[in-house]
């Protein structure tokens, strides 16, 4: 091969390498932008899920607190009724005992 042909071949090879490296650089930039978009989208979705879970947790906690308050009120009423029934039984026993003595 003569030197001119060799220089031309080298120039063509170099030009092809430059074109390929430019394509690779552009593809790398596009891939980076796509990755950034995907990460930001995933972050937004996770943030929304986190807020929703927190909101649902607070709502469930309020429901449980309200239910506990209601049950505590029912327990208090039941204890009062039991105490009232025990007092009535005590009075009946005393009345029976008084009748038995007569």
């Amino acid at each position: 091969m003569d030197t001119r042909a060799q220089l031309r071949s080298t120039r063509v090879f170099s030009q092809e390498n430059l074109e390929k490296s430019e394509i690779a650089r552009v593809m790398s930039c596009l891939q980076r932008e796509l990755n950034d978009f995907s990460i930001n989208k995933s972050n937004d979705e996770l943030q929304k899920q986190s807020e929703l879970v927190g909101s649902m947790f607070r709502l469930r906690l309020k429901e449980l607190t309200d239910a506990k308050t209601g049950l505590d009120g029912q327990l208090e009423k039941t204890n009062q009724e039991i105490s009232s029934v025990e007092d009535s039984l005590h009075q009946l026993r005393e009345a029976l005992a008084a009748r038995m003595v007569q």
Side-chain angles (χ1 to χ4, degrees):
M1 236 185 167
D2 74 353
T3 23
R4 271 190 217 189
Q6 198 172 16
L7 284 174
R8 180 168 167 71
S9 174
T10 303
R11 250 185 267 143
V12 169
F13 177 75
S14 295
Q15 186 60 35
E16 288 174 354
N17 276 345
L18 286 173
E19 290 170 1
K20 287 178 184 177
S21 69
E22 181 62 19
I23 290 171
R25 186 188 69 75
V26 168
M27 294 301 287
S28 175
C29 288
L30 291 173
Q31 185 64 50
R32 187 178 311 119
E33 288 177 14
L34 179 62
N35 290 346
D36 287 346
F37 174 78
S38 296
I39 289 170
N40 287 332
K41 185 176 179 183
S42 295
N43 182 52
D44 291 345
E45 289 174 3
L46 289 172
Q47 186 67 32
K48 287 177 186 175
Q49 287 178 4
S50 174
E51 291 169 3
L52 180 62
V53 167
S55 176
M56 292 294 106
F57 180 75
R58 286 187 294 280
L59 180 62
R60 183 67 179 141
L61 186 60
K62 184 182 180 325
E63 289 173 354
L64 289 173
T65 303
D66 292 347
K68 182 185 179 299
T69 301
L71 289 172
D72 286 342
Q74 288 179 1
L75 177 62
E76 181 63 30
K77 288 178 185 177
T78 302
N79 285 336
Q80 288 174 357
E81 289 176 13
I82 290 172
S83 179
S84 175
V85 168
E86 287 175 343
D87 288 345
S88 295
L89 282 174
H90 181 69
Q91 290 173 0
L92 286 172
R93 285 186 183 134
E94 286 179 352
L96 281 174
R99 280 190 140 200
M100 296 287 251
V101 172
Q102 291 177 354

